[in-house]
Structure formats: structure tokens, C-alpha cells
Amino acid sequence: MEANSRMTGLHESRVQRQKSSLFRQSLKRLMKNKLAVAGFGVVVCMFVLCFIGPFFSPYTDNKINMTLMNKAPNLQHLLGTDALGRDILTRVMQAGRISLTVGLASMLLSVFIGALLGAIAGYYRGIADQVIMRIADLLMTIPSLPLLFIFGALLSEWKVRADYRMYIVMLMLSIVNWPGLARMVRGQMLSLREREFMQAAVVLGLRDSRKLFHHLLPNVVPLLIVMATLNIGGAILSESVLSFFGLGVMPPTPTWGNMIDAANNMIDFQDHPWLWIPPGLSIFATVIAINIFGDGLRDVLDPKQKR
Amino acid sequence: MSTYLTKRLLYMLVILFAASLLIFCLYASTPGDFITGNIKLTAERKAELREIYGLNKPMLERYGIWMNNAFHGDFGYSLAQQKPVLQLFNDYIWNSFLLAAVSTFLTWVIAVIVGVISAYKQYSWFDTLVMVAIFAAMSLPSFFIGLFLIKILAVDLKWLPPGGMITTGSNATGLAYLKEVVRHMALPVVVMTLLGLGSLTRYFRSNMIDVLKQDYIRTARAKGLKERKVLFTHALRNALLPAITLVGFELPALFGGSLIIEQIFNWPGIGQLYMKSFGLRDYPLLMGFTMFIAILTVIGTLLSDILYRVADPRVRL
């Protein structure tokens, strides 16, 4: 922590050098945790598979082919085909693109909102703190699943175009997720601003924005990285629940969640398990890998919280 | 303490009031209402019904009426079921409570046992296995694992019923009824227990690891006490105590049902009632349910803070 705070005040070139050494130290410790490395490997594989895999699939055009309806897994179609004769493996990969993007983007957005508002609340205190934290309390009081359901229903009311829905779903998830992050960042800020290096910053007569973004926030970054990583898994799960109940991203845009929607049909559920089991396992594999990796990161970046 | 409590309770009321306003406005702006969905009605009849139910009034006026009634203990009538919301809650809540109570009990018992053993044998193969299982449990998509188990255990193997609380058309009584309910609740309870196990086992494991490193454990061992006594009397008690702060957080889950699990397993609980009402836009019920959970959440948090002080007198409220 000390090295971390010291480095932030230095000039660009030296910052670069020190940052890389801290980074290298952490990386070295992370590499020792085999489980975390394996988790990271699975996450990378998932991303590569979903974003590059479809280019190698001969079935990306999603052509409707009635002769290939609901075929069980076979050599041509490794995971079978759906009711419109589309290849499931290709669809799972294409759906993964959306699910992973939604998870990643909504995490970035909630971390951005949470860190910014939390920092402002913790640094300025007073009225800003009151307003921000009361809104956070309010959002945390309302149960999140019903809140997401309402937002989902509102999307249909506003006649949001199907391909825009995924962006709004990201926004919805961020609205539900930022209060927890803001509360955490605020707590850190409250203790950091009393530290000696901040007195030094005041004596130097630095601007508020410089104190906030160059001296305070960098100290929260390690913790933020950990929270952000674990947040991706949660966002992917939430998106899948919403899409499963038809309130998230809607077909024809495939996501892992709305592919499992096939299980809501009694015949598909009982007789065509290849329609909904692969996307479910994909969610499970991705989230477990992210969580294991995130936990390894926490051990390295935030040893105080070691569990 | 008492000034703290007064302040805290006042703040709780303000937050709940704000939450009710926000939720009401959100529900009121969701598309359609209870009448729109009924295609059998003529336009005049629809207008007439909206007049009767007060659905044509402005949003804020409706909120005022709702709030006023709520203050007098009247949470309105369910439009779809034509029963008071509170009576419906009473009808469904105990089914939810049954599921939640059994699975919460199982979760805590298993989490304590596994967590303690895992901590005692830290870094053993058992511990590693438990850690992987913890991550698996924390990463399960609840609806998918529910569907998956129904498919395998109920549809394919036919060991357990796929859903519901009793077999359709069954009029079993007494012991036979009890047996039927137990068979039906087995799967949802297993899934709910699985979902809760991850974080709780991890909590007890890390608590126990911290406690085992304490000086008083070394003292106890140095005194020549039997390892069992050290473990169960000296360590376990101290590892369990902080967990009473978690009791408060269990409150919404215990009485609020589970939207996803009850929907998947067709369990006649309050969560499934909510899911049904959501499609029908049965506002009084939706509003009542959401506020009910919000109240439980707020009370649960307060309870946790108070219990935190009970567990650790150094904490000042």
C-alpha cells in the first residue's frame, strides 16, 4: 500500500517503471496459485471460443433449414440443431459473445459509477455524501430481482428495438450493482483521506481533482479490480436469469439465458435437452472460472481480506 | 443505544417511504394493467372497471390512496384473485417458509460441519475439494441447476416428482399427505441448500482458520487439553459466534420466498404468486410483495447490527 501511494505522486516515466514492478510482483504471486491460473485459462478459452470460434463454423448464417429440425448431437452438428435447424454449437458461441459482453460492459459501467460516486461521497462528505448514500440505501432496500423485472417490462413498453435491448440490459444491471461498490469505495476513501500522504497533498496545494484521481483513487484500484472481477460473474448470472424469463435480451439476439428458455417448452425440455443444457453449462463454467480467478486476485491484491 | 435506535428507526421509515413511492411509480408505468389483458371485455366495460378499481386516476393520487390505506393496515385487494392481499400472503407464505426453513437449517448445519473440518485440515486434499465445491456452489445459475435436476431425477429417472407441492388430484390426508409433501419438496430444498452452501461454508471455514491461529487455542493445547475439547469447546464456539450477525440477513429469504426456485418447481409459495401476478399486472399484490421484502430487508439489517453488538460488546452503535 505504501509503495502504491508513493508511486502515484511521481512523474510519468518513474510511475511507469514502478507500476510494472508492482504489477510483476503481483503477477508472480498470482502465478503460484494454480487454481487461479486455471480459472483465468478457462475464462480466456471461453472468450476466444465465443469471439473467434464462429468464424470457423460453417453454420453462422443461421439459415433456417427444416430438414435439420431438432437433430440430436451428431458429427456434423456436435451439439445438435434447434427447431429451426440451426447449429447449437454455433449458437452457443454467438450467444456467448453477447452474454460475455453484457457481463463485462455492465461490470465496467457499475465500477465506473460506483467508484466515482463512492469517491465523491467519501472525499467531499457533507451534502454530496448524504445525497449519494441515501440513493444507494434506497436502491439497496428494494429487492433487486423485482426491480430488474420492472425495468425489463418497461423496456417492452418503450418499444426498444431488439438489438438495442442488450445495451439497456447492461445499464439495468449497473443500476442495481453500483450501490454496493460505491459504499465500499466510500469506506476506503474515509480512511484514506485521513492518512499522512493526503496531508502532504493538502500542503502541496493540489487541486481537488488531482487529489481525488491521482492520490486517492489509485489506492482503491487493487480492491476495485477484485470486486470488478467477481462482479462479472454476478452480472452474467443476472443477465441469464432475466433473459430466461423473457425480460432481458430477446431473440433473435441469442444469449445463454434466452437459449435456456427452450426448457420452458415441455417437449423441448424432456426430449431435446441439447437445446438448453449446453448454454447452461457454459454459464456455469464461465462464472466458476471467473470466481476462482477473482478469488486468486484478491489473495494477491488485497491480502487483508484473505479468506 | 436508545437514541441510536430512535434515529435508526426514523431513517428506516423514511427510506421505506421513499422506496414505496419509487416502486409504486415504476409498477404504475409498466405497460398495460390488469384490465388490458382481458380480451373478453368491451371497451365500455373496461372503462367502467378501471373506474371501479381506480386505475384511471393519476399515478400520484393512486399512490396517495394506497399509502393512506397501507397506514391503516389495509394493503388492498388482489385484482386477479379478489381477496385481500394480506390474506393471500398468509395463504402462501407458509409454503415458502417451509421450503426456506428446511433448506436454511440444512445449509447452516452442513456449512458448519464442512467448514470446520476443512479449516482444521487446511491445505489437505479434503480442503482443496471443499474449496472447489464452494466455488461451484457460488457459481450455479439457480434456474439452470433446478431444470437440470428436474430433467435427470424427475423426468428421466422418475425418482422424484417434477414440481408442485402435492400430486395433482391427490386428496391424501395425515401421514400420506405429509409423505407426499416431503417427496415434492426434496428437489427444491436440495437446490436451495446447494445455492446457499457456498458462501456460508466459506464463511465458517475462514472464521475457524482465524480462531485456530489465536493464542488461547495454543494455551488450551499447552495445558494438555484433549484435541477434541480444544476444537469443540474453545475454537468452535468462538468461530460460530460472529455468525449470529448473519441471522438478520436470512430474514427476507426465510419469509420472502424465492422467485426463481418456486417458479421452476411450481411450488405454491409467495414467490410464485408474485411471478404469476407480475404477468397479470396485479398491482396491489406486486406492491404488497415488494414492500414486504423491503421491510424484511430493512428489519434484517437492523437486527444484524444489533446482534453484532451482542456478539462483540466492543462495537458501539
Side-chain angles (χ1 to χ4, degrees), chain A residues 132-143:
Chain A
I132 292 171
M133 291 328 283
R134 292 306 79 91
I135 295 176
D137 279 348
L138 179 60
L139 282 174
M140 281 167 108
T141 306
I142 305 175

Side-chain angles (χ1 to χ4, degrees), chain A residues 134 137-138 141-142 146 149-150 153-154 157 240 244-245 269-270 276 280 284 287-288 291-292 295 298 307, chain B residues 11 15 19 22 26-27 29-31 135-136 139-141 143-144 147 151 202 206 260 263 274-275 278 294 298:
Chain A
R134 292 306 79 91
D137 279 348
L138 179 60
T141 306
I142 305 175
F149 282 173
I150 299 171
L154 281 176
E157 159 82 351
S240 70
F244 173 72
F245 285 115
F269 176 64
Q270 294 188 351
W276 56 272
F284 181 46
V287 177
I288 194 175
N291 282 345
I292 287 179
D295 195 67
R298 166 168 30 215
R307 285 282 173 199
Chain B
Y11 180 58
I15 280 285
L22 183 62
L26 282 171
Y27 276 129
S29 42
T30 47
F135 283 119
S139 315
L140 282 172
F143 64 104
F144 175 71
L147 291 167
K151 165 77 180 150
R202 189 183 173 149
S206 63
I260 300 169
Q263 179 70 12
Y274 175 86
M275 294 299 271
F278 191 82
V298 172

Side-chain angles (χ1 to χ4, degrees), chain A residues 13 28 36 59 69 80 82 96 153 165 171 181 260 264 285 293 302:
Chain A
S13 59
K28 212 169 161 188
Y59 310 110
M69 243 168 71
D82 67 5
R165 266 188 94 106
L171 197 71
L181 287 159
I260 304 179
N264 283 330
F293 174 62
D302 189 26

Side-chain angles (χ1 to χ4, degrees), chain A residues 233-302:
Chain A
I236 291 178
L237 285 181
S238 306
E239 182 274 324
S240 70
V241 170
L242 272 184
S243 298
F244 173 72
F245 285 115
L247 293 163
V249 183
M250 299 251 215
T253 316
T255 73
W256 286 334
N258 70 29
M259 282 184 78
I260 304 179
D261 184 42
N264 283 330
N265 175 329
M266 215 46 211
I267 297 165
D268 284 341
F269 176 64
Q270 294 188 351
D271 302 335
H272 309 137
W274 61 86
L275 292 182
W276 56 272
I277 289 183
L281 291 181
S282 309
I283 298 174
F284 181 46
T286 311
V287 177
I288 194 175
I290 291 175
N291 282 345
I292 287 179
F293 174 62
D295 195 67
L297 263 186
R298 166 168 30 215
D299 287 351
V300 173
L301 293 177
D302 189 26

